[in-house]
């Protein structure tokens, strides 16, 4: 066997970890090989040196330090647990209170964000539904002449505002509010007027409500089907000979109120209504959509829908408003109507009072800038810049022409 | 299986008896320090390693199932902690370079770089110390896998079975590594010490 091989086996040989045959071979080789014998001796000496290494003593403080460190770890763990869970009589109420607070905050945030999430872009069908949202005006906006006019109507036992609204609605100038807006309006009106005296106008108002609903193409929940087949408001003949076709005083709120009230009581439909009213009656009496049925139920109960409020607010938010100060409101109105016509404005409606003319229309979004520029030639426009977030399509616009004194 | 003489202390320690565990520390700390010292080649580092090893042992004592002697289980921990410590030193040296070894005093005022030496004669002490330092340096120069089997077998005197449990390697591997470790050490000692 070669020396290299033998030398590689010398460690196990020393350990006694070789076979008998190998041991004999190695011993025979060693007896004749000095180099391998020296290697064997070196191995033995190295082993002696290693095994001769003295054992060191641990430091005297080692045990104490180990125990102290363990104690410190235990204390740290205990205090953490105590801080988290003890004492229960204090922790549990505090944690329960914190949970309640978090839940309330979550509900509050959800409620605050809810109107924003409901603000979805509605189809720009060019309906006049924006007008009703704008027409929820305060009583103060009703002119004195309007009030007198209302009061003089013999058949009315209502305060002037309601009659005025009904008149306007019948004339077709003022479109009916969307069905969803009616509940809110009805609540407002009923809180202000004698509920009993409203019943006298049920017949007329119901018909006007129905016509208004027809006009709201695609914007009222239950009336989408009806809206598609509705006649344009301008072409509807007035049910009462005393009503004017256009430029009637504004009273949006009460008009909506009467419509809502009528809508909630379809059974009170009067025989005095003309043929159109009878057609409307069928529609009113038999709402075709589940949404309309629901609205009937709710109005019967006199409960206003949060959805109505949000729909009105939604439409109001999307209408582009202009305020123009002029010397002659009539002339300015004619000028604005002319401009709207030239720019392709749809559903142009005007509401007049002594010192203010309100024109509402639908205008293509790309024409609004042009309209705004031309409005400057009519009078002093309050809005110097257009809103930045005008969506595309037909945009409801509202122009208030105010007499400058 | 040989009954474990630490059985009672271990049971008490598992129940949270720190005093019992302290007794275990006192019983095994010397072996622990020597294993760590021979693995690291540094007494100060070895004391830190042993503290950490005992702390780990206390935390894990609930998991000890008696599949080996408690002492063997303890030595396994100190070998692992020593290996981790050496790894950290290697990383630090690679980043920072070798640092000057400054002697540090213990709480009792002893210098911690070198272990306490009980030999009486100064000259003999010095010579012996010098030889032992050279031997230790040769041991420290070995690869980890050679060093650990050499320390456990030739210095600590553990059996192949114990070494197999501590290092989690088969008996045969323990032996082959040991033989190879001795060959390499012999060559290095001859280079450093001269004629053996």
């Amino acid at each position: 066997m070669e020396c290299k091989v033998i030398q590689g086996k010398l460690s196990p040989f020393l350990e006694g970890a070789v076979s008998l045959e190998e041991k004999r071979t190695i011993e025979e080789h060693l007896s004749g090989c000095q180099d391998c014998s020296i290697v064997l001796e070196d191995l033995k000496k190295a082993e002696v040196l290693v095994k001769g290494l003295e054992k060191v003593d641990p430091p005297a403080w080692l045990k104490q330090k180990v125990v102290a460190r363990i104690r410190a770890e235990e204390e740290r763990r205990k205090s953490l647990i105590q801080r988290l869970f003890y004492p229960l009589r204090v922790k549990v109420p505090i944690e329960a209170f914190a949970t309640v607070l978090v839940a309330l905050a979550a509900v509050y945030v959800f409620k605050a964000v809810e109107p924003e999430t409901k603000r979805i872009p509605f189809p720009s069908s060019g309906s006049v539904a924006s007008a009703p949202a704008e027409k929820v005006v305060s009583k103060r906006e009703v002119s004195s002449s309007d009030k007198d006019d209302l009061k003089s109507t013999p058949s009315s036992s209502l305060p002037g505002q309601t009659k005025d609204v009904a008149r306007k609605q019948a004339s077709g100038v003022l479109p009916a509010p969307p069905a969803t807006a009616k509940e809110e309006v009805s609540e407002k009106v009923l809180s202000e007027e004698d509920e009993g005296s409203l019943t006298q106008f049920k017949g007329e108002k119901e018909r006007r409500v129905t016509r208004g609903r027809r006009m709201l193409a695609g914007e009222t929940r239950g009336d989408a089907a009806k809206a598609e087949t509705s006649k344009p408001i301008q072409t509807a003949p007035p049910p009462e000979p005393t009503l004017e076709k256009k430029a009637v005083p504004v009273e949006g709120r009460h008009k909506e109120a009467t419509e809502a009230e009528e809508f909630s009581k379809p059974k009170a439909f009067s025989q005095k209504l003309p043929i159109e009213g009878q057609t409307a009656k069928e529609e009113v009496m038999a709402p075709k959509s589940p949404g309309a049925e629901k609205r009937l139920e709710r109005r019967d109960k006199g409960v206003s829908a949060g959805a109505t409020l949000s729909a009105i607010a939604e439409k109001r938010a999307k209408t582009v408003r202009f305020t123009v100060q002029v010397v002659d409101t009539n002339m300015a109105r004619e000028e604005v109507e002319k401009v709207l016509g030239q720019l392709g404005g749809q559903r142009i409606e005007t509401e007049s009072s002594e010192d203010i003319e309100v024109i509402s229309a639908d205008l293509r979004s790309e024409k609004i800038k042009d309209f705004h520029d031309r409005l400057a030639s009519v009078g002093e426009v309050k809005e110097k810049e257009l809103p930045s977030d005008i969506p595309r399509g037909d945009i409801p616009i509202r122009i208030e022409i105010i007499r400058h004194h | 299986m040989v009954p474990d003489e630490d059985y009672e202390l271990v049971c008490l320690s598992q129940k949270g008896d720190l005093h019992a565990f302290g007794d275990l520390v006192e019983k095994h700390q010397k072996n622990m320090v020597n294993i760590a010292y021979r693995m690291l080649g540094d007494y100060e580092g070895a004391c830190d390693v042993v503290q950490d090893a005992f702390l780990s042992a206390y935390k894990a004592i609930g998991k000890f199932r008696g599949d080996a002697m408690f002492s063997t289980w303890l030595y396994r921990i100190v070998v692992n902690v020593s290996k981790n410590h050496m790894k950290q030193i290697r990383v630090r040296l690679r980043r920072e370079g070798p640092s000057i070894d400054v002697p540090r005093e213990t709480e009792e005022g002893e210098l911690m770089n070198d272990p306490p030496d009980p030999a009486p004669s100064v000259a003999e002490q010095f010579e012996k110390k010098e030889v032992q330092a050279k031997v230790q340096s040769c041991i420290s120069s070995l690869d980890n896998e050679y060093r650990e089997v050499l320390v456990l077998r030739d210095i600590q005197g553990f059996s192949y079975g114990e070494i197999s449990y501590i290092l989690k390697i088969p008996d045969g591997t323990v032996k082959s590594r040991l033989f190879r470790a001795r060959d390499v050490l012999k060559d290095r000692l001859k280079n450093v010490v001269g004629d053996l």
Side-chain angles (χ1 to χ4, degrees):
Chain A
M1 213 183 263
E2 284 183 9
C3 287
K4 203 172 182 179
V5 175
I6 295 291
Q7 285 174 16
K9 288 184 185 295
L10 287 177
S11 280
F13 170 75
L14 272 177
E15 193 75 14
V18 293
S19 63
L20 276 170
E21 194 181 329
E22 278 184 321
K23 185 179 174 185
R24 213 176 296 123
T25 309
I26 292 168
E27 282 172 345
E28 275 178 26
H29 182 88
L30 285 172
S31 61
C33 178
Q34 200 173 358
D35 289 340
C36 292
S37 298
I38 292 170
V39 169
L40 184 66
E41 286 306 309
D42 287 341
L43 273 170
K44 287 179 183 174
K45 287 174 187 175
E47 195 179 339
V48 167
L49 280 171
V50 170
K51 286 182 177 172
L53 285 171
E54 285 179 355
K55 290 210 169 171
V56 297
D57 287 322
W61 44 262
L62 184 64
K63 178 192 166 184
Q64 263 179 308
K65 204 164 183 183
V66 167
V67 171
R69 274 182 73 177
I70 292 171
R71 275 213 184 92
E73 281 281 325
E74 295 272 278
E75 284 299 317
R76 213 177 300 137
R77 202 161 47 89
K78 269 185 195 168
S79 69
L80 181 69
I81 290 168
Q82 278 183 349
R83 258 187 276 131
L84 287 174
F85 301 112
Y86 182 80
L88 283 177
R89 65 176 184 279
V90 173
K91 283 288 177 184
V92 169
I94 288 173
E95 284 163 8
F97 178 69
T99 308
V100 168
L101 266 180
V102 167
L104 286 173
V107 168
Y108 174 75
V109 167
F110 177 74
K111 291 255 183 238
V113 168
E114 200 176 9
E116 295 296 326
T117 56
K118 282 186 181 174
R119 197 185 284 188
I120 50 171
F122 54 90
S124 55
S125 58
S127 87
V128 295
S130 61
E134 299 303 313
K135 291 190 178 62
V136 181
V137 295
S138 66
K139 283 187 191 174
R140 296 185 212 104
E141 293 182 32
V142 177
S143 65
S144 55
S145 61
D146 293 336
K147 286 180 184 173
D148 292 335
D149 191 27
L150 287 165
K151 284 174 186 172
S152 65
T153 306
S155 59
S156 171
S157 64
L158 287 170
Q161 294 162 339
T162 305
K163 172 101 180 192
D164 183 45
V165 168
R167 207 154 31 92
K168 287 171 203 162
Q169 184 62 29
S171 72
V173 175
L174 296 180
T180 54
K182 285 172 191 166
E183 292 168 13
E184 173 210 15
V185 173
S186 67
E187 188 184 49
K188 282 185 186 176
V189 171
L190 291 174
S191 66
E192 296 167 356
E193 300 166 349
D194 182 3
E195 190 174 339
S197 55
L198 285 172
T199 56
Q200 296 189 22
F201 290 88
K202 283 175 200 168
E204 294 174 359
K205 290 162 194 173
E206 192 174 30
R207 187 168 57 84
R208 289 175 213 131
V209 166
T210 311
R211 191 186 300 148
R213 287 167 60 199
R214 272 191 241 145
M215 293 189 305
L216 301 173
E219 289 186 7
T220 51
R221 290 180 197 170
D223 298 328
K226 280 183 275 184
E228 288 170 359
T229 57
S230 68
K231 300 174 188 176
I233 191 169
Q234 290 84 351
T235 61
E240 293 178 4
T242 55
L243 293 172
E244 294 177 17
K245 206 161 189 178
K246 73 175 193 177
V248 294
V250 177
E251 188 44 69
R253 180 198 284 182
H254 298 286
K255 169 186 69 62
E256 292 168 18
T258 52
E259 289 166 351
E261 197 275 341
E262 286 308 311
F263 192 73
S264 67
K265 296 179 183 177
K267 292 180 184 176
F269 193 83
S270 168
Q271 292 176 358
K272 293 179 190 174
L273 287 176
I275 298 171
E276 291 172 356
Q278 289 175 356
T279 311
K281 175 187 179 179
E282 290 171 14
E283 294 170 340
V284 170
M285 296 298 288
K288 291 178 182 172
S289 69
E293 281 177 337
K294 284 181 186 173
R295 284 194 294 278
L296 280 171
E297 288 172 8
R298 281 185 284 174
R299 281 172 196 136
D300 284 338
K301 294 173 186 174
V303 175
S304 69
T308 307
L309 283 165
S310 64
I312 290 173
E314 193 177 321
K315 283 168 190 146
R316 191 182 294 169
K318 292 189 183 296
T319 304
V320 178
R321 305 165 71 102
F322 299 102
T323 307
V324 186
Q325 282 196 326
V326 298
V327 174
D328 185 347
T329 55
N330 278 328
M331 209 157 83
R333 173 181 47 79
E334 286 169 11
E335 187 66 23
V336 169
E337 284 171 352
K338 184 179 161 189
V339 169
L340 281 170
Q342 286 170 358
L343 292 174
Q346 300 290 325
R347 304 193 189 279
I348 301 168
E349 295 171 11
T350 308
E351 304 155 25
S352 301
S353 68
E354 191 177 341
D355 288 335
I356 186 168
E357 301 276 344
V358 179
I359 304 171
S360 54
D362 289 351
L363 193 64
R364 295 292 298 173
S365 56
E366 52 267 25
K367 300 284 186 187
I368 288 184
K369 174 83 173 64
D370 197 8
F371 175 75
H372 180 245
D373 293 338
R374 291 176 71 170
L375 208 60
S377 63
V378 176
E380 185 187 356
V381 181
K382 187 183 167 187
E383 292 77 13
K384 299 299 175 194
E385 286 180 359
L386 291 173
S388 56
D389 55 343
I390 298 176
R392 298 183 71 174
D394 287 328
I395 308 298
I397 61 169
R398 176 184 165 88
I399 308 102
E400 291 177 0
I401 304 170
I402 302 170
R403 191 195 303 278
H404 181 70
H405 295 287
Chain B
M1 194 173 168
V2 179
D4 194 347
E5 53 194 32
D6 296 325
Y7 178 78
E8 279 184 30
L9 288 172
V10 169
C11 287
L12 289 169
S13 300
Q14 285 176 332
K15 290 170 189 171
D17 187 342
L18 197 50
H19 189 77
F21 189 78
D23 291 344
L24 288 168
V25 170
E26 196 162 358
K27 190 174 175 187
H28 298 289
Q29 62 180 343
K30 187 167 181 174
N31 276 342
M32 298 274 277
V33 168
N34 277 276
I35 293 170
Y37 176 57
R38 296 302 171 194
M39 291 279 288
L40 270 60
D42 169 31
Y43 186 77
E44 176 192 339
C47 291
D48 291 340
V49 161
V50 167
Q51 287 179 62
D52 294 343
F54 275 122
L55 204 64
S56 300
Y58 184 76
K59 287 177 185 173
I61 200 166
K63 295 175 195 168
F64 177 67
R65 295 285 172 258
D67 51 342
M69 302 282 275
F70 175 76
S71 55
T72 314
W73 181 79
L74 212 54
Y75 303 148
R76 179 197 266 181
I77 294 174
V78 77
V79 166
N80 287 335
V81 176
S82 300
K83 281 183 188 175
N84 291 338
H85 190 86
M86 285 190 291
K87 208 182 285 180
Q88 287 171 10
I89 290 172
R90 268 199 299 275
V91 169
R92 205 179 335 143
L93 280 174
R94 220 176 286 142
R95 249 190 281 137
E96 299 167 5
S99 58
I100 296 166
D101 199 12
V102 179
R104 212 183 70 186
E105 278 196 13
T106 64
E107 293 161 4
E108 283 73 24
E110 295 173 4
L111 286 176
M112 280 192 63
N113 267 359
D114 297 317
D117 199 327
S121 163
V122 174
E124 281 177 2
Q125 198 174 350
F126 184 79
E127 194 182 332
K128 199 176 180 185
K129 215 172 176 180
E130 208 177 310
V131 169
Q132 293 205 350
K134 284 178 181 175
V135 173
Q136 178 58 50
S137 72
C138 291
I139 293 171
S140 298
S141 71
L142 295 173
D143 290 346
N144 282 352
E145 57 185 26
Y146 293 153
R147 188 183 327 122
E148 57 197 21
V149 289
L150 195 87
V151 167
L152 293 172
R153 176 69 181 172
D154 289 349
I155 300 176
Q156 295 300 127
F158 294 147
S159 66
Y160 288 122
E162 285 176 314
I163 297 170
S164 172
Y165 176 85
I166 290 169
L167 299 179
K168 294 182 190 176
I169 51 175
D171 270 13
T173 310
V174 174
K175 285 177 186 174
S176 61
R177 284 188 189 176
L178 180 66
F179 302 148
R180 185 73 192 121
R182 283 172 179 168
D183 287 341
V184 175
L185 183 65
K186 176 256 304 173
D187 292 336
R188 291 192 186 174
L189 276 172
K190 215 168 176 183
N191 289 336
V192 171
V193 178
D195 278 334
L196 296 177

